[in-house]
Amino acid sequence: KGNAITAEAGLDYFAPNQSHLVFIPLLVGFRHSFNGSGTGFYIEPQAGYTFGSTDIQKTDANGNPVFNSDGSEADESFNGATAALTIGYILANPHCPLNFGLRFEHLFVSGTTPSLLSFRVSWSVLTGRRLQQQQQH
């Protein structure tokens, strides 16, 4: 009961200054709750693939801008393998099983390698169903 295989799709959008970054991570993971109930404190390593795009111009090793063969700017590409680690807490309330977590996510790409640190609040649908079933028995 305290362990679960998870699947997650996300959307991260950032617009610092005049630049735009979009990340779509697709992750699978293994959530282990420390008290063995599926709620309370947990740790969750995840791995997967991220599709990313930006309008930030790519540069070479010397910092010079890179251009496509047609003369247009070559933009950074953030498509690549992704690893993440979340620590968090799931409320043991069958009607409101909120999941609070702190996640570090790293994207493995050549050139600029983005990392994200995020605080998340989500609704744990399957945890809520399991808790409701336990109350009925």
Side-chain angles (χ1 to χ4, degrees), residues 29 38 48 53 56 66 70 80 82 97 105 118 135:
S53 182
I56 298 172
V66 175
D70 65 359
T82 305
E105 186 175 333
S118 58
Q135 278 187 337

Side-chain angles (χ1 to χ4, degrees), residues 104-119:
F104 177 76
E105 186 175 333
H106 182 76
L107 181 57
F108 296 92
V109 294
S110 60
T112 304
T113 56
S115 295
L116 303 170
L117 180 63
S118 58
F119 175 73

Side-chain angles (χ1 to χ4, degrees), residues 16-120:
N17 303 324
Q18 299 299 316
S19 301
H20 301 85
L21 297 101
V22 177
F23 300 101
I24 301 173
L26 304 173
L27 302 170
V28 294
F30 180 78
R31 182 184 304 147
H32 171 73
S33 64
F34 294 112
N35 65 9
S37 72
T39 60
F41 287 102
Y42 70 87
I43 188 166
E44 180 180 4
Q46 297 173 302
Y49 194 85
T50 296
F51 299 94
S53 182
T54 182
D55 55 6
I56 298 172
Q57 186 174 13
K58 187 183 289 188
T59 57
D60 63 17
N62 296 323
N64 299 317
V66 175
F67 294 92
N68 294 318
S69 59
D70 65 359
S72 62
E73 291 183 1
D75 292 336
E76 290 281 351
S77 174
F78 295 122
N79 298 327
T82 305
L85 181 65
T86 303
I87 55 171
Y89 187 87
I90 298 176
L91 295 177
N93 181 333
H95 302 294
C96 190
L98 291 178
N99 177 359
F100 299 92
L102 185 63
R103 177 167 71 187
F104 177 76
E105 186 175 333
H106 182 76
L107 181 57
F108 296 92
V109 294
S110 60
T112 304
T113 56
S115 295
L116 303 170
L117 180 63
S118 58
F119 175 73
R120 54 191 277 178

